[in-house]
Amino acid sequence: MTAEGRQRIDKWLFFARVVKSRSLAARLAQAGRVRVNRNKIDQASYLVRPGDVLTITLDRRILIYRILEAGERRGPAAEARLLYEDLTPPAPPAAASALQPLRERGAGRPTKKERRELDDWKGEG
């Protein structure tokens, strides 16, 4: 860490527990999946400082963090949470369509329940 409170992005991502290893943090930065103040970076050696806003694209989610301080070590999760402020918007609630059937009743191939009801109606059950 330099005197100005700056730190390499790969070290900060590792200390903040965004990724499991520093080499994964370096690959994440080099792949262009990290933005600092809306600017895409492609170097693991990019220096970040408190006040910078990071947009991190992971496999299934996007994280937005404001750096509060540089890390000294990779400590416990409670210590890592003190390094940033989470600005990620909350996930939308589960879609209402997930609670509804995927198709209208009577449309398409009958379900097993509908086949049983049909057999009972025909007297074949």
PDB file of all heavy atoms in Angstrom, residues 9 12-14 16-19 24-25 28-29 32-38 41 52-67 84-86 88:
ATOM      1  N   ILE A   9      -5.916  -3.150  -7.168  1.00  0.00           N
ATOM      2  CA  ILE A   9      -7.287  -3.643  -7.212  1.00  0.00           C
ATOM      3  C   ILE A   9      -7.359  -5.130  -6.884  1.00  0.00           C
ATOM      4  O   ILE A   9      -8.281  -5.568  -6.206  1.00  0.00           O
ATOM      5  CB  ILE A   9      -7.959  -3.322  -8.572  1.00  0.00           C
ATOM      6  CG1 ILE A   9      -9.438  -3.709  -8.584  1.00  0.00           C
ATOM      7  CG2 ILE A   9      -7.256  -4.026  -9.705  1.00  0.00           C
ATOM      8  CD1 ILE A   9     -10.303  -2.854  -7.745  1.00  0.00           C
ATOM      9  N   TRP A  12      -7.133  -5.503  -3.129  1.00  0.00           N
ATOM     10  CA  TRP A  12      -8.331  -5.024  -2.446  1.00  0.00           C
ATOM     11  C   TRP A  12      -9.483  -6.016  -2.607  1.00  0.00           C
ATOM     12  O   TRP A  12     -10.190  -6.294  -1.642  1.00  0.00           O
ATOM     13  CB  TRP A  12      -8.739  -3.642  -2.958  1.00  0.00           C
ATOM     14  CG  TRP A  12      -9.796  -3.061  -2.088  1.00  0.00           C
ATOM     15  CD1 TRP A  12      -9.613  -2.294  -0.980  1.00  0.00           C
ATOM     16  CD2 TRP A  12     -11.207  -3.244  -2.220  1.00  0.00           C
ATOM     17  NE1 TRP A  12     -10.825  -1.997  -0.415  1.00  0.00           N
ATOM     18  CE2 TRP A  12     -11.828  -2.556  -1.157  1.00  0.00           C
ATOM     19  CE3 TRP A  12     -12.015  -3.913  -3.129  1.00  0.00           C
ATOM     20  CZ2 TRP A  12     -13.201  -2.524  -0.978  1.00  0.00           C
ATOM     21  CZ3 TRP A  12     -13.393  -3.887  -2.953  1.00  0.00           C
ATOM     22  CH2 TRP A  12     -13.975  -3.201  -1.887  1.00  0.00           C
ATOM     23  N   LEU A  13      -9.679  -6.546  -3.802  1.00  0.00           N
ATOM     24  CA  LEU A  13     -10.746  -7.520  -4.027  1.00  0.00           C
ATOM     25  C   LEU A  13     -10.542  -8.767  -3.174  1.00  0.00           C
ATOM     26  O   LEU A  13     -11.505  -9.345  -2.656  1.00  0.00           O
ATOM     27  CB  LEU A  13     -10.818  -7.901  -5.510  1.00  0.00           C
ATOM     28  CG  LEU A  13     -11.294  -6.819  -6.465  1.00  0.00           C
ATOM     29  CD1 LEU A  13     -11.092  -7.270  -7.907  1.00  0.00           C
ATOM     30  CD2 LEU A  13     -12.741  -6.464  -6.211  1.00  0.00           C
ATOM     31  N   PHE A  14      -9.306  -9.174  -3.012  1.00  0.00           N
ATOM     32  CA  PHE A  14      -8.993 -10.337  -2.189  1.00  0.00           C
ATOM     33  C   PHE A  14      -9.237 -10.031  -0.711  1.00  0.00           C
ATOM     34  O   PHE A  14      -9.869 -10.808   0.006  1.00  0.00           O
ATOM     35  CB  PHE A  14      -7.539 -10.748  -2.435  1.00  0.00           C
ATOM     36  CG  PHE A  14      -7.055 -11.883  -1.585  1.00  0.00           C
ATOM     37  CD1 PHE A  14      -7.656 -13.129  -1.648  1.00  0.00           C
ATOM     38  CD2 PHE A  14      -5.990 -11.716  -0.716  1.00  0.00           C
ATOM     39  CE1 PHE A  14      -7.202 -14.179  -0.872  1.00  0.00           C
ATOM     40  CE2 PHE A  14      -5.524 -12.757   0.054  1.00  0.00           C
ATOM     41  CZ  PHE A  14      -6.136 -13.992  -0.018  1.00  0.00           C
ATOM     42  N   ALA A  16     -11.213  -7.794   0.561  1.00  0.00           N
ATOM     43  CA  ALA A  16     -12.637  -7.534   0.797  1.00  0.00           C
ATOM     44  C   ALA A  16     -13.484  -8.787   0.618  1.00  0.00           C
ATOM     45  O   ALA A  16     -14.709  -8.726   0.719  1.00  0.00           O
ATOM     46  CB  ALA A  16     -13.128  -6.434  -0.132  1.00  0.00           C
ATOM     47  N   ARG A  17     -12.844  -9.915   0.310  1.00  0.00           N
ATOM     48  CA  ARG A  17     -13.515 -11.213   0.169  1.00  0.00           C
ATOM     49  C   ARG A  17     -14.527 -11.238  -0.971  1.00  0.00           C
ATOM     50  O   ARG A  17     -15.550 -11.891  -0.903  1.00  0.00           O
ATOM     51  CB  ARG A  17     -14.169 -11.641   1.475  1.00  0.00           C
ATOM     52  CG  ARG A  17     -13.175 -11.930   2.561  1.00  0.00           C
ATOM     53  CD  ARG A  17     -13.844 -12.477   3.796  1.00  0.00           C
ATOM     54  NE  ARG A  17     -12.852 -13.102   4.651  1.00  0.00           N
ATOM     55  CZ  ARG A  17     -12.589 -14.400   4.654  1.00  0.00           C
ATOM     56  NH1 ARG A  17     -13.259 -15.205   3.885  1.00  0.00           N
ATOM     57  NH2 ARG A  17     -11.668 -14.892   5.442  1.00  0.00           N
ATOM     58  N   VAL A  18     -14.229 -10.527  -2.055  1.00  0.00           N
ATOM     59  CA  VAL A  18     -15.071 -10.589  -3.248  1.00  0.00           C
ATOM     60  C   VAL A  18     -14.792 -11.895  -3.989  1.00  0.00           C
ATOM     61  O   VAL A  18     -15.691 -12.515  -4.533  1.00  0.00           O
ATOM     62  CB  VAL A  18     -14.829  -9.361  -4.156  1.00  0.00           C
ATOM     63  CG1 VAL A  18     -15.612  -9.475  -5.447  1.00  0.00           C
ATOM     64  CG2 VAL A  18     -15.195  -8.087  -3.413  1.00  0.00           C
ATOM     65  N   VAL A  19     -13.527 -12.313  -3.979  1.00  0.00           N
ATOM     66  CA  VAL A  19     -13.094 -13.561  -4.615  1.00  0.00           C
ATOM     67  C   VAL A  19     -12.278 -14.366  -3.613  1.00  0.00           C
ATOM     68  O   VAL A  19     -11.830 -13.842  -2.589  1.00  0.00           O
ATOM     69  CB  VAL A  19     -12.276 -13.305  -5.899  1.00  0.00           C
ATOM     70  CG1 VAL A  19     -13.134 -12.733  -6.998  1.00  0.00           C
ATOM     71  CG2 VAL A  19     -11.108 -12.398  -5.610  1.00  0.00           C
ATOM     72  N   LEU A  24      -7.414 -15.148  -8.650  1.00  0.00           N
ATOM     73  CA  LEU A  24      -8.754 -14.986  -9.235  1.00  0.00           C
ATOM     74  C   LEU A  24      -9.120 -13.509  -9.341  1.00  0.00           C
ATOM     75  O   LEU A  24      -9.765 -13.090 -10.308  1.00  0.00           O
ATOM     76  CB  LEU A  24      -9.794 -15.722  -8.405  1.00  0.00           C
ATOM     77  CG  LEU A  24      -9.791 -17.238  -8.484  1.00  0.00           C
ATOM     78  CD1 LEU A  24     -10.806 -17.819  -7.509  1.00  0.00           C
ATOM     79  CD2 LEU A  24     -10.101 -17.693  -9.899  1.00  0.00           C
ATOM     80  N   ALA A  25      -8.716 -12.724  -8.360  1.00  0.00           N
ATOM     81  CA  ALA A  25      -8.966 -11.280  -8.411  1.00  0.00           C
ATOM     82  C   ALA A  25      -8.222 -10.652  -9.575  1.00  0.00           C
ATOM     83  O   ALA A  25      -8.764  -9.785 -10.280  1.00  0.00           O
ATOM     84  CB  ALA A  25      -8.539 -10.638  -7.097  1.00  0.00           C
ATOM     85  N   LEU A  28     -10.027 -11.540 -12.763  1.00  0.00           N
ATOM     86  CA  LEU A  28     -11.274 -10.781 -12.858  1.00  0.00           C
ATOM     87  C   LEU A  28     -10.994  -9.380 -13.394  1.00  0.00           C
ATOM     88  O   LEU A  28     -11.696  -8.891 -14.280  1.00  0.00           O
ATOM     89  CB  LEU A  28     -11.931 -10.721 -11.477  1.00  0.00           C
ATOM     90  CG  LEU A  28     -13.329 -10.169 -11.381  1.00  0.00           C
ATOM     91  CD1 LEU A  28     -14.332 -11.148 -11.988  1.00  0.00           C
ATOM     92  CD2 LEU A  28     -13.699  -9.907  -9.935  1.00  0.00           C
ATOM     93  N   ALA A  29      -9.955  -8.751 -12.882  1.00  0.00           N
ATOM     94  CA  ALA A  29      -9.602  -7.405 -13.335  1.00  0.00           C
ATOM     95  C   ALA A  29      -9.093  -7.419 -14.778  1.00  0.00           C
ATOM     96  O   ALA A  29      -9.469  -6.570 -15.587  1.00  0.00           O
ATOM     97  CB  ALA A  29      -8.557  -6.801 -12.408  1.00  0.00           C
ATOM     98  N   GLY A  32     -11.571  -7.510 -17.620  1.00  0.00           N
ATOM     99  CA  GLY A  32     -12.409  -6.333 -17.849  1.00  0.00           C
ATOM    100  C   GLY A  32     -13.750  -6.411 -17.146  1.00  0.00           C
ATOM    101  O   GLY A  32     -14.701  -5.740 -17.537  1.00  0.00           O
ATOM    102  N   ARG A  33     -13.833  -7.201 -16.096  1.00  0.00           N
ATOM    103  CA  ARG A  33     -15.106  -7.371 -15.392  1.00  0.00           C
ATOM    104  C   ARG A  33     -15.197  -6.498 -14.148  1.00  0.00           C
ATOM    105  O   ARG A  33     -16.085  -6.672 -13.327  1.00  0.00           O
ATOM    106  CB  ARG A  33     -15.288  -8.847 -15.044  1.00  0.00           C
ATOM    107  CG  ARG A  33     -15.371  -9.691 -16.324  1.00  0.00           C
ATOM    108  CD  ARG A  33     -15.380 -11.140 -16.068  1.00  0.00           C
ATOM    109  NE  ARG A  33     -16.667 -11.523 -15.496  1.00  0.00           N
ATOM    110  CZ  ARG A  33     -16.932 -12.738 -15.054  1.00  0.00           C
ATOM    111  NH1 ARG A  33     -16.012 -13.670 -15.114  1.00  0.00           N
ATOM    112  NH2 ARG A  33     -18.104 -13.019 -14.556  1.00  0.00           N
ATOM    113  N   VAL A  34     -14.276  -5.550 -14.039  1.00  0.00           N
ATOM    114  CA  VAL A  34     -14.288  -4.599 -12.927  1.00  0.00           C
ATOM    115  C   VAL A  34     -14.232  -3.194 -13.519  1.00  0.00           C
ATOM    116  O   VAL A  34     -13.441  -2.922 -14.420  1.00  0.00           O
ATOM    117  CB  VAL A  34     -13.079  -4.818 -11.983  1.00  0.00           C
ATOM    118  CG1 VAL A  34     -13.082  -3.790 -10.873  1.00  0.00           C
ATOM    119  CG2 VAL A  34     -13.084  -6.219 -11.424  1.00  0.00           C
ATOM    120  N   ARG A  35     -15.088  -2.321 -13.022  1.00  0.00           N
ATOM    121  CA  ARG A  35     -15.071  -0.918 -13.422  1.00  0.00           C
ATOM    122  C   ARG A  35     -14.784  -0.079 -12.185  1.00  0.00           C
ATOM    123  O   ARG A  35     -15.337  -0.341 -11.124  1.00  0.00           O
ATOM    124  CB  ARG A  35     -16.407  -0.488 -14.015  1.00  0.00           C
ATOM    125  CG  ARG A  35     -16.684  -1.108 -15.369  1.00  0.00           C
ATOM    126  CD  ARG A  35     -18.071  -0.691 -15.861  1.00  0.00           C
ATOM    127  NE  ARG A  35     -18.356  -1.283 -17.135  1.00  0.00           N
ATOM    128  CZ  ARG A  35     -18.242  -0.639 -18.297  1.00  0.00           C
ATOM    129  NH1 ARG A  35     -17.863   0.609 -18.313  1.00  0.00           N
ATOM    130  NH2 ARG A  35     -18.508  -1.262 -19.415  1.00  0.00           N
ATOM    131  N   VAL A  36     -13.947   0.934 -12.344  1.00  0.00           N
ATOM    132  CA  VAL A  36     -13.641   1.864 -11.268  1.00  0.00           C
ATOM    133  C   VAL A  36     -14.160   3.221 -11.704  1.00  0.00           C
ATOM    134  O   VAL A  36     -13.722   3.755 -12.718  1.00  0.00           O
ATOM    135  CB  VAL A  36     -12.119   1.922 -10.991  1.00  0.00           C
ATOM    136  CG1 VAL A  36     -11.822   2.921  -9.893  1.00  0.00           C
ATOM    137  CG2 VAL A  36     -11.601   0.548 -10.618  1.00  0.00           C
ATOM    138  N   ASN A  37     -15.099   3.743 -10.962  1.00  0.00           N
ATOM    139  CA  ASN A  37     -15.741   5.016 -11.296  1.00  0.00           C
ATOM    140  C   ASN A  37     -16.227   5.018 -12.742  1.00  0.00           C
ATOM    141  O   ASN A  37     -15.989   5.943 -13.511  1.00  0.00           O
ATOM    142  CB  ASN A  37     -14.794   6.186 -11.046  1.00  0.00           C
ATOM    143  CG  ASN A  37     -14.398   6.276  -9.592  1.00  0.00           C
ATOM    144  OD1 ASN A  37     -15.184   5.983  -8.703  1.00  0.00           O
ATOM    145  ND2 ASN A  37     -13.161   6.651  -9.346  1.00  0.00           N
ATOM    146  N   ARG A  38     -16.884   3.947 -13.141  1.00  0.00           N
ATOM    147  CA  ARG A  38     -17.481   3.726 -14.468  1.00  0.00           C
ATOM    148  C   ARG A  38     -16.467   3.514 -15.595  1.00  0.00           C
ATOM    149  O   ARG A  38     -16.844   3.409 -16.751  1.00  0.00           O
ATOM    150  CB  ARG A  38     -18.430   4.861 -14.848  1.00  0.00           C
ATOM    151  CG  ARG A  38     -19.620   4.962 -13.961  1.00  0.00           C
ATOM    152  CD  ARG A  38     -20.599   5.951 -14.499  1.00  0.00           C
ATOM    153  NE  ARG A  38     -21.769   5.993 -13.617  1.00  0.00           N
ATOM    154  CZ  ARG A  38     -22.788   6.766 -13.819  1.00  0.00           C
ATOM    155  NH1 ARG A  38     -22.807   7.575 -14.854  1.00  0.00           N
ATOM    156  NH2 ARG A  38     -23.810   6.754 -12.998  1.00  0.00           N
ATOM    157  N   ILE A  41     -11.404  -1.311 -16.377  1.00  0.00           N
ATOM    158  CA  ILE A  41      -9.966  -1.499 -16.216  1.00  0.00           C
ATOM    159  C   ILE A  41      -9.594  -2.890 -16.713  1.00  0.00           C
ATOM    160  O   ILE A  41     -10.432  -3.782 -16.784  1.00  0.00           O
ATOM    161  CB  ILE A  41      -9.520  -1.318 -14.746  1.00  0.00           C
ATOM    162  CG1 ILE A  41     -10.185  -2.355 -13.848  1.00  0.00           C
ATOM    163  CG2 ILE A  41      -9.819   0.078 -14.265  1.00  0.00           C
ATOM    164  CD1 ILE A  41      -9.576  -2.451 -12.493  1.00  0.00           C
ATOM    165  N   ASP A  52     -13.514   5.546  -4.262  1.00  0.00           N
ATOM    166  CA  ASP A  52     -13.772   4.977  -5.589  1.00  0.00           C
ATOM    167  C   ASP A  52     -14.988   4.058  -5.531  1.00  0.00           C
ATOM    168  O   ASP A  52     -15.225   3.378  -4.533  1.00  0.00           O
ATOM    169  CB  ASP A  52     -12.568   4.179  -6.092  1.00  0.00           C
ATOM    170  CG  ASP A  52     -11.420   5.060  -6.560  1.00  0.00           C
ATOM    171  OD1 ASP A  52     -11.646   6.265  -6.762  1.00  0.00           O
ATOM    172  OD2 ASP A  52     -10.306   4.528  -6.709  1.00  0.00           O
ATOM    173  N   VAL A  53     -15.749   4.042  -6.619  1.00  0.00           N
ATOM    174  CA  VAL A  53     -16.909   3.157  -6.731  1.00  0.00           C
ATOM    175  C   VAL A  53     -16.560   2.051  -7.714  1.00  0.00           C
ATOM    176  O   VAL A  53     -16.182   2.315  -8.855  1.00  0.00           O
ATOM    177  CB  VAL A  53     -18.162   3.927  -7.203  1.00  0.00           C
ATOM    178  CG1 VAL A  53     -19.331   2.979  -7.394  1.00  0.00           C
ATOM    179  CG2 VAL A  53     -18.521   5.008  -6.204  1.00  0.00           C
ATOM    180  N   LEU A  54     -16.667   0.805  -7.258  1.00  0.00           N
ATOM    181  CA  LEU A  54     -16.362  -0.361  -8.082  1.00  0.00           C
ATOM    182  C   LEU A  54     -17.652  -1.014  -8.545  1.00  0.00           C
ATOM    183  O   LEU A  54     -18.578  -1.201  -7.749  1.00  0.00           O
ATOM    184  CB  LEU A  54     -15.563  -1.394  -7.291  1.00  0.00           C
ATOM    185  CG  LEU A  54     -14.251  -0.950  -6.669  1.00  0.00           C
ATOM    186  CD1 LEU A  54     -13.626  -2.112  -5.925  1.00  0.00           C
ATOM    187  CD2 LEU A  54     -13.312  -0.437  -7.724  1.00  0.00           C
ATOM    188  N   THR A  55     -17.711  -1.372  -9.807  1.00  0.00           N
ATOM    189  CA  THR A  55     -18.797  -2.182 -10.352  1.00  0.00           C
ATOM    190  C   THR A  55     -18.159  -3.492 -10.788  1.00  0.00           C
ATOM    191  O   THR A  55     -17.335  -3.509 -11.701  1.00  0.00           O
ATOM    192  CB  THR A  55     -19.471  -1.484 -11.545  1.00  0.00           C
ATOM    193  OG1 THR A  55     -19.894  -0.180 -11.126  1.00  0.00           O
ATOM    194  CG2 THR A  55     -20.670  -2.278 -12.026  1.00  0.00           C
ATOM    195  N   ILE A  56     -18.543  -4.569 -10.117  1.00  0.00           N
ATOM    196  CA  ILE A  56     -17.915  -5.870 -10.325  1.00  0.00           C
ATOM    197  C   ILE A  56     -18.939  -6.817 -10.920  1.00  0.00           C
ATOM    198  O   ILE A  56     -20.011  -7.012 -10.344  1.00  0.00           O
ATOM    199  CB  ILE A  56     -17.392  -6.427  -8.992  1.00  0.00           C
ATOM    200  CG1 ILE A  56     -16.469  -5.399  -8.333  1.00  0.00           C
ATOM    201  CG2 ILE A  56     -16.688  -7.754  -9.201  1.00  0.00           C
ATOM    202  CD1 ILE A  56     -16.287  -5.610  -6.857  1.00  0.00           C
ATOM    203  N   THR A  57     -18.619  -7.388 -12.067  1.00  0.00           N
ATOM    204  CA  THR A  57     -19.510  -8.338 -12.727  1.00  0.00           C
ATOM    205  C   THR A  57     -19.043  -9.746 -12.410  1.00  0.00           C
ATOM    206  O   THR A  57     -17.979 -10.172 -12.858  1.00  0.00           O
ATOM    207  CB  THR A  57     -19.498  -8.116 -14.249  1.00  0.00           C
ATOM    208  OG1 THR A  57     -19.814  -6.761 -14.511  1.00  0.00           O
ATOM    209  CG2 THR A  57     -20.512  -9.013 -14.925  1.00  0.00           C
ATOM    210  N   LEU A  58     -19.832 -10.457 -11.631  1.00  0.00           N
ATOM    211  CA  LEU A  58     -19.550 -11.854 -11.325  1.00  0.00           C
ATOM    212  C   LEU A  58     -20.448 -12.721 -12.193  1.00  0.00           C
ATOM    213  O   LEU A  58     -21.195 -12.218 -13.035  1.00  0.00           O
ATOM    214  CB  LEU A  58     -19.758 -12.128  -9.839  1.00  0.00           C
ATOM    215  CG  LEU A  58     -18.818 -11.357  -8.910  1.00  0.00           C
ATOM    216  CD1 LEU A  58     -19.175 -11.632  -7.457  1.00  0.00           C
ATOM    217  CD2 LEU A  58     -17.384 -11.709  -9.174  1.00  0.00           C
ATOM    218  N   ASP A  59     -20.409 -14.025 -12.011  1.00  0.00           N
ATOM    219  CA  ASP A  59     -21.155 -14.929 -12.882  1.00  0.00           C
ATOM    220  C   ASP A  59     -22.644 -14.626 -12.928  1.00  0.00           C
ATOM    221  O   ASP A  59     -23.222 -14.502 -13.993  1.00  0.00           O
ATOM    222  CB  ASP A  59     -20.946 -16.378 -12.441  1.00  0.00           C
ATOM    223  CG  ASP A  59     -19.542 -16.852 -12.737  1.00  0.00           C
ATOM    224  OD1 ASP A  59     -18.922 -16.294 -13.665  1.00  0.00           O
ATOM    225  OD2 ASP A  59     -19.070 -17.754 -12.044  1.00  0.00           O
ATOM    226  N   ARG A  60     -23.272 -14.511 -11.778  1.00  0.00           N
ATOM    227  CA  ARG A  60     -24.732 -14.369 -11.763  1.00  0.00           C
ATOM    228  C   ARG A  60     -25.225 -13.095 -11.113  1.00  0.00           C
ATOM    229  O   ARG A  60     -26.409 -12.955 -10.846  1.00  0.00           O
ATOM    230  CB  ARG A  60     -25.344 -15.566 -11.042  1.00  0.00           C
ATOM    231  CG  ARG A  60     -25.065 -16.838 -11.776  1.00  0.00           C
ATOM    232  CD  ARG A  60     -25.739 -17.991 -11.151  1.00  0.00           C
ATOM    233  NE  ARG A  60     -25.412 -19.183 -11.914  1.00  0.00           N
ATOM    234  CZ  ARG A  60     -25.701 -20.389 -11.532  1.00  0.00           C
ATOM    235  NH1 ARG A  60     -26.325 -20.582 -10.409  1.00  0.00           N
ATOM    236  NH2 ARG A  60     -25.366 -21.413 -12.273  1.00  0.00           N
ATOM    237  N   ARG A  61     -24.323 -12.188 -10.816  1.00  0.00           N
ATOM    238  CA  ARG A  61     -24.756 -10.948 -10.171  1.00  0.00           C
ATOM    239  C   ARG A  61     -23.770  -9.823 -10.449  1.00  0.00           C
ATOM    240  O   ARG A  61     -22.642 -10.054 -10.873  1.00  0.00           O
ATOM    241  CB  ARG A  61     -24.925 -11.161  -8.672  1.00  0.00           C
ATOM    242  CG  ARG A  61     -23.654 -11.551  -7.984  1.00  0.00           C
ATOM    243  CD  ARG A  61     -23.863 -11.763  -6.504  1.00  0.00           C
ATOM    244  NE  ARG A  61     -22.554 -11.874  -5.900  1.00  0.00           N
ATOM    245  CZ  ARG A  61     -22.148 -12.881  -5.196  1.00  0.00           C
ATOM    246  NH1 ARG A  61     -22.942 -13.882  -4.981  1.00  0.00           N
ATOM    247  NH2 ARG A  61     -20.952 -12.900  -4.678  1.00  0.00           N
ATOM    248  N   ILE A  62     -24.233  -8.620 -10.187  1.00  0.00           N
ATOM    249  CA  ILE A  62     -23.400  -7.429 -10.342  1.00  0.00           C
ATOM    250  C   ILE A  62     -23.334  -6.754  -8.976  1.00  0.00           C
ATOM    251  O   ILE A  62     -24.369  -6.510  -8.348  1.00  0.00           O
ATOM    252  CB  ILE A  62     -23.985  -6.469 -11.395  1.00  0.00           C
ATOM    253  CG1 ILE A  62     -23.987  -7.145 -12.757  1.00  0.00           C
ATOM    254  CG2 ILE A  62     -23.203  -5.172 -11.427  1.00  0.00           C
ATOM    255  CD1 ILE A  62     -24.637  -6.322 -13.846  1.00  0.00           C
ATOM    256  N   LEU A  63     -22.121  -6.478  -8.517  1.00  0.00           N
ATOM    257  CA  LEU A  63     -21.914  -5.843  -7.226  1.00  0.00           C
ATOM    258  C   LEU A  63     -21.438  -4.416  -7.434  1.00  0.00           C
ATOM    259  O   LEU A  63     -20.620  -4.152  -8.314  1.00  0.00           O
ATOM    260  CB  LEU A  63     -20.852  -6.609  -6.424  1.00  0.00           C
ATOM    261  CG  LEU A  63     -21.106  -8.087  -6.175  1.00  0.00           C
ATOM    262  CD1 LEU A  63     -19.895  -8.718  -5.511  1.00  0.00           C
ATOM    263  CD2 LEU A  63     -22.337  -8.283  -5.330  1.00  0.00           C
ATOM    264  N   ILE A  64     -21.945  -3.498  -6.613  1.00  0.00           N
ATOM    265  CA  ILE A  64     -21.511  -2.113  -6.650  1.00  0.00           C
ATOM    266  C   ILE A  64     -21.048  -1.750  -5.250  1.00  0.00           C
ATOM    267  O   ILE A  64     -21.844  -1.766  -4.306  1.00  0.00           O
ATOM    268  CB  ILE A  64     -22.646  -1.175  -7.117  1.00  0.00           C
ATOM    269  CG1 ILE A  64     -23.154  -1.611  -8.480  1.00  0.00           C
ATOM    270  CG2 ILE A  64     -22.148   0.270  -7.151  1.00  0.00           C
ATOM    271  CD1 ILE A  64     -24.390  -0.885  -8.931  1.00  0.00           C
ATOM    272  N   TYR A  65     -19.756  -1.462  -5.109  1.00  0.00           N
ATOM    273  CA  TYR A  65     -19.158  -1.164  -3.814  1.00  0.00           C
ATOM    274  C   TYR A  65     -18.463   0.183  -3.860  1.00  0.00           C
ATOM    275  O   TYR A  65     -17.825   0.531  -4.845  1.00  0.00           O
ATOM    276  CB  TYR A  65     -18.100  -2.205  -3.438  1.00  0.00           C
ATOM    277  CG  TYR A  65     -18.619  -3.588  -3.129  1.00  0.00           C
ATOM    278  CD1 TYR A  65     -17.792  -4.687  -3.243  1.00  0.00           C
ATOM    279  CD2 TYR A  65     -19.921  -3.800  -2.695  1.00  0.00           C
ATOM    280  CE1 TYR A  65     -18.244  -5.960  -2.942  1.00  0.00           C
ATOM    281  CE2 TYR A  65     -20.379  -5.069  -2.403  1.00  0.00           C
ATOM    282  CZ  TYR A  65     -19.532  -6.146  -2.521  1.00  0.00           C
ATOM    283  OH  TYR A  65     -19.977  -7.406  -2.229  1.00  0.00           O
ATOM    284  N   ARG A  66     -18.588   0.953  -2.768  1.00  0.00           N
ATOM    285  CA  ARG A  66     -17.793   2.168  -2.583  1.00  0.00           C
ATOM    286  C   ARG A  66     -16.700   1.813  -1.589  1.00  0.00           C
ATOM    287  O   ARG A  66     -16.974   1.331  -0.486  1.00  0.00           O
ATOM    288  CB  ARG A  66     -18.625   3.312  -2.041  1.00  0.00           C
ATOM    289  CG  ARG A  66     -17.768   4.559  -1.768  1.00  0.00           C
ATOM    290  CD  ARG A  66     -18.535   5.748  -1.243  1.00  0.00           C
ATOM    291  NE  ARG A  66     -19.387   6.241  -2.314  1.00  0.00           N
ATOM    292  CZ  ARG A  66     -20.695   6.433  -2.178  1.00  0.00           C
ATOM    293  NH1 ARG A  66     -21.301   6.168  -1.049  1.00  0.00           N
ATOM    294  NH2 ARG A  66     -21.405   6.887  -3.193  1.00  0.00           N
ATOM    295  N   ILE A  67     -15.466   2.052  -1.964  1.00  0.00           N
ATOM    296  CA  ILE A  67     -14.332   1.724  -1.110  1.00  0.00           C
ATOM    297  C   ILE A  67     -14.262   2.727   0.037  1.00  0.00           C
ATOM    298  O   ILE A  67     -14.239   3.936  -0.187  1.00  0.00           O
ATOM    299  CB  ILE A  67     -13.011   1.738  -1.910  1.00  0.00           C
ATOM    300  CG1 ILE A  67     -13.057   0.689  -3.013  1.00  0.00           C
ATOM    301  CG2 ILE A  67     -11.819   1.516  -0.990  1.00  0.00           C
ATOM    302  CD1 ILE A  67     -11.848   0.691  -3.918  1.00  0.00           C
ATOM    303  N   TYR A  84     -15.790  -1.608   2.647  1.00  0.00           N
ATOM    304  CA  TYR A  84     -16.637  -1.068   1.578  1.00  0.00           C
ATOM    305  C   TYR A  84     -18.050  -0.799   2.070  1.00  0.00           C
ATOM    306  O   TYR A  84     -18.476  -1.286   3.112  1.00  0.00           O
ATOM    307  CB  TYR A  84     -16.688  -2.045   0.397  1.00  0.00           C
ATOM    308  CG  TYR A  84     -17.263  -3.403   0.732  1.00  0.00           C
ATOM    309  CD1 TYR A  84     -18.624  -3.636   0.659  1.00  0.00           C
ATOM    310  CD2 TYR A  84     -16.444  -4.462   1.113  1.00  0.00           C
ATOM    311  CE1 TYR A  84     -19.159  -4.881   0.958  1.00  0.00           C
ATOM    312  CE2 TYR A  84     -16.956  -5.698   1.413  1.00  0.00           C
ATOM    313  CZ  TYR A  84     -18.320  -5.901   1.325  1.00  0.00           C
ATOM    314  OH  TYR A  84     -18.848  -7.134   1.636  1.00  0.00           O
ATOM    315  N   GLU A  85     -18.747   0.007   1.276  1.00  0.00           N
ATOM    316  CA  GLU A  85     -20.179   0.249   1.465  1.00  0.00           C
ATOM    317  C   GLU A  85     -20.876  -0.388   0.269  1.00  0.00           C
ATOM    318  O   GLU A  85     -20.532  -0.110  -0.873  1.00  0.00           O
ATOM    319  CB  GLU A  85     -20.458   1.751   1.506  1.00  0.00           C
ATOM    320  CG  GLU A  85     -21.918   2.101   1.598  1.00  0.00           C
ATOM    321  CD  GLU A  85     -22.153   3.597   1.483  1.00  0.00           C
ATOM    322  OE1 GLU A  85     -21.189   4.373   1.365  1.00  0.00           O
ATOM    323  OE2 GLU A  85     -23.330   3.977   1.494  1.00  0.00           O
ATOM    324  N   ASP A  86     -21.834  -1.242   0.535  1.00  0.00           N
ATOM    325  CA  ASP A  86     -22.531  -1.960  -0.532  1.00  0.00           C
ATOM    326  C   ASP A  86     -23.621  -1.068  -1.119  1.00  0.00           C
ATOM    327  O   ASP A  86     -24.582  -0.714  -0.435  1.00  0.00           O
ATOM    328  CB  ASP A  86     -23.129  -3.253   0.013  1.00  0.00           C
ATOM    329  CG  ASP A  86     -23.633  -4.176  -1.069  1.00  0.00           C
ATOM    330  OD1 ASP A  86     -23.562  -3.801  -2.256  1.00  0.00           O
ATOM    331  OD2 ASP A  86     -24.101  -5.272  -0.731  1.00  0.00           O
ATOM    332  N   THR A  88     -25.163  -1.987  -4.034  1.00  0.00           N
ATOM    333  CA  THR A  88     -25.900  -2.852  -4.945  1.00  0.00           C
ATOM    334  C   THR A  88     -27.392  -2.728  -4.670  1.00  0.00           C
ATOM    335  O   THR A  88     -27.817  -2.859  -3.526  1.00  0.00           O
ATOM    336  CB  THR A  88     -25.463  -4.313  -4.754  1.00  0.00           C
ATOM    337  OG1 THR A  88     -24.042  -4.378  -4.867  1.00  0.00           O
ATOM    338  CG2 THR A  88     -26.110  -5.216  -5.777  1.00  0.00           C
TER     339      THR A  88
END
